[in-house]
Amino acid sequence: MLFSGDTLFRGTWGRTDLPTGSLEAIMDSIINKLLILPDDTLVYPGHGVSTIIREEKPIYLKLQPRGY
């Protein structure tokens, strides 16, 4: 299980448009730290619906949020 805070949400990544935000940094964290976890890892974001790593991987292959 992973508590991702505001880094990874179901279907998208966290905000990068704030003064301290960085698309490059958040993608690096997600791809190199989170997506290497087992596919069945449960992810609990800072708010919103939980997900699993397997469901999120396709987003980062395309680098675009999933529309819900």
Side-chain angles (χ1 to χ4, degrees), residues 7-67:
T7 300
L8 179 70
F9 297 100
R10 182 177 182 211
T12 192
W13 51 86
R15 290 184 61 181
T16 58
D17 61 330
L18 301 172
T20 59
S22 166
L23 181 61
E24 182 178 288
I26 204 168
M27 289 302 160
D28 181 62
S29 290
I30 292 170
I31 293 167
N32 295 309
K33 295 178 181 177
L34 305 185
L35 296 186
I36 64 169
L37 296 170
D39 281 351
D40 61 349
T41 300
L42 254 163
V43 179
Y44 294 102
H47 44 89
V49 180
S50 61
T51 187
I52 57 174
I53 293 294
R54 176 186 315 103
E55 294 294 320
E56 302 310 311
K57 281 185 177 180
I59 294 166
Y60 300 94
L61 297 176
K62 298 178 188 175
L63 289 180
Q64 61 185 10
R66 193 173 21 181

